[in-house]
Amino acid sequence: MNWVLAMNIMNTKIALITGAGHRLGAATANRLMDSGWFVFVHVRSSMKPARELLEQAEVRNNRKCGSIVQADLTDDGQLKAMVEEVKNHPAVKANGLSGLVHNASFYSQSKFEETSFESFRNLNRLHMEAPYFLTQQFLPELRATQGSVVGVVDTSWGKAWEGLSHYTSSKAGLRQLMLNLAGELSPDVNVNCVAPGAIMAAEWESEHFTKVLEKVPMGRSGQASDIAAAVQHLLEAPHLSGQVLHVDGGWSIEDA
Ligand SMILES: NC(=O)c1ccc[n+]([C@@H]2O[C@H](COP(=O)([O-])OP(=O)(O)OC[C@H]3O[C@@H](n4cnc5c(N)ncnc54)[C@H](OP(=O)(O)O)[C@@H]3O)[C@@H](O)[C@H]2O)c1
């Protein structure tokens, strides 16, 4: 690392966002980078959009804004290698870690009787095991900054979403993990959740998404920027912990 970069990084808040190559994670990375954070943009496969995201942020802000890390979070070896890479980065060695955002996800619909046990396990790995491991491994760096963890969950809690039990149950696990850790890691580290409602449709669900919007009191989808703002707020609010912030246009107060 050259000395100019070293000087830039001094006193900069550092965040790791999983699944930040595009969509909501990318919007969150952009918002944090534009607010002065240094962001580890984690991707599994979206290297090209992540490079563009970082390049554009660096042009806008005229500084080094982050770094890309790549791992399939369901693969123990890749998960461990990513942890080592982030821990050994000069920015983290200098400043610790102020934010950890568990955003990576895989959302697909399939009938319960047709969903393989392997798919179910992989979602548990992605939504629960990886956040558990990452939070545990980065605890010293988070404690060093009185940092903050955000789990990105959803609005399915207590509902029965057709063909999505594998997805909703693993998100429920993430939510409970975050709330439990909010107590356990207090007062050193804040832990919260953001629960997006209907924000950005997956490719397979455009018809379903339109039906969902009929139930949303505000009658429209949210924007990726709404989620980014909520995550940033929780990362930077020193007296907020153990909260689930629903960003869903009021959907969670309606029936399933
Ligand atoms: N979109 C919505 O309206 C909505 C609604 C409710 C909740 N949410 C939650 O909000 C978060 C962001 O939503 P989104 O729609 O932007 O997410 P997304 O596009 O479905 O997924 C985000 C990223 O997760 C990464 N990912 C998937 N499998 C992975 C694996 N095995 N290892 C590592 N990374 C993996 C992918 O990275 P690569 O592209 O690099 O492969 C992907 O870009 C998610 O947690 C989602 O559950 C979203």
Side-chain angles (χ1 to χ4, degrees):
M1 183 173 60
N2 66 38
W3 72 270
V4 178
L5 174 55
M7 291 303 289
N8 279 344
I9 290 175
M10 290 294 267
N11 301 320
T12 301
K13 284 191 283 191
I14 319 276
L16 166 63
I17 307 174
T18 64
H22 63 178
R23 292 167 58 90
L24 309 191
T28 306
N30 263 330
R31 185 175 175 111
L32 292 186
M33 292 191 287
D34 289 352
S35 305
W37 288 67
F38 182 97
V39 177
F40 285 94
V41 177
H42 159 264
V43 297
R44 176 191 51 175
S45 58
S46 297
M47 276 305 273
K48 190 165 176 278
R51 273 196 211 104
E52 287 166 7
L53 176 91
L54 213 50
E55 277 164 22
Q56 287 163 12
E58 296 189 348
V59 169
R60 273 197 315 277
N61 295 294
N62 195 26
R63 66 177 179 88
K64 178 85 181 146
C65 288
S67 185
I68 299 170
V69 286
Q70 185 172 24
D72 181 336
L73 299 179
T74 66
D75 179 305
D76 286 352
Q78 292 187 34
L79 188 58
K80 284 179 188 158
M82 183 181 90
V83 167
E84 285 312 305
E85 186 181 343
V86 173
K87 273 180 176 285
N88 288 321
H89 192 284
V92 175
K93 283 194 171 290
N95 291 341
L97 197 65
S98 296
L100 175 59
V101 183
H102 301 301
N103 172 78
S105 179
F106 187 73
Y107 179 61
S108 70
Q109 191 179 33
S110 60
K111 282 187 176 168
F112 176 67
E113 53 270 48
E114 290 167 10
T115 305
S116 71
F117 190 47
E118 189 58 20
S119 305
F120 177 70
R121 273 195 168 154
N122 274 334
L123 276 194
N124 284 339
R125 286 197 184 116
L126 183 59
H127 292 156
M128 283 201 286
E129 292 184 21
Y132 184 95
F133 185 76
L134 291 172
T135 310
Q136 192 178 55
Q137 294 299 308
F138 287 122
L139 208 44
E141 288 78 8
L142 287 162
R143 282 197 164 121
T145 63
Q146 300 246 298
S148 184
V149 180
V150 175
V152 184
V153 293
D154 69 7
T155 44
S156 62
W157 179 260
K159 309 260 171 70
W161 285 3
E162 198 182 338
L164 282 163
S165 59
H166 52 304
Y167 172 85
T168 61
S169 57
S170 55
K171 282 289 184 178
L174 174 59
R175 178 186 175 120
Q176 180 56 29
L177 173 64
M178 295 292 99
L179 295 182
N180 207 117
L181 289 179
E184 229 172 310
L185 303 185
S186 186
D188 301 335
V189 178
N190 297 2
V191 187
N192 292 287
C193 294
V194 170
I199 309 294
M200 202 180 254
E203 277 173 17
W204 57 266
E205 65 161 355
S206 56
E207 202 182 314
H208 171 247
F209 199 78
T210 309
K211 280 193 193 141
V212 164
L213 293 183
E214 289 167 10
K215 296 183 196 163
V216 173
M218 291 180 80
R220 56 178 162 77
S221 61
Q223 306 291 315
S225 57
D226 296 323
I227 304 307
V231 172
Q232 183 181 15
H233 180 63
L234 292 176
L235 288 180
E236 294 179 347
H239 208 51
L240 275 182
S241 201
Q243 300 304 307
V244 180
L245 181 53
H246 287 256
V247 184
D248 64 359
W251 187 18
S252 49
I253 55 169
E254 292 296 304
D255 293 337

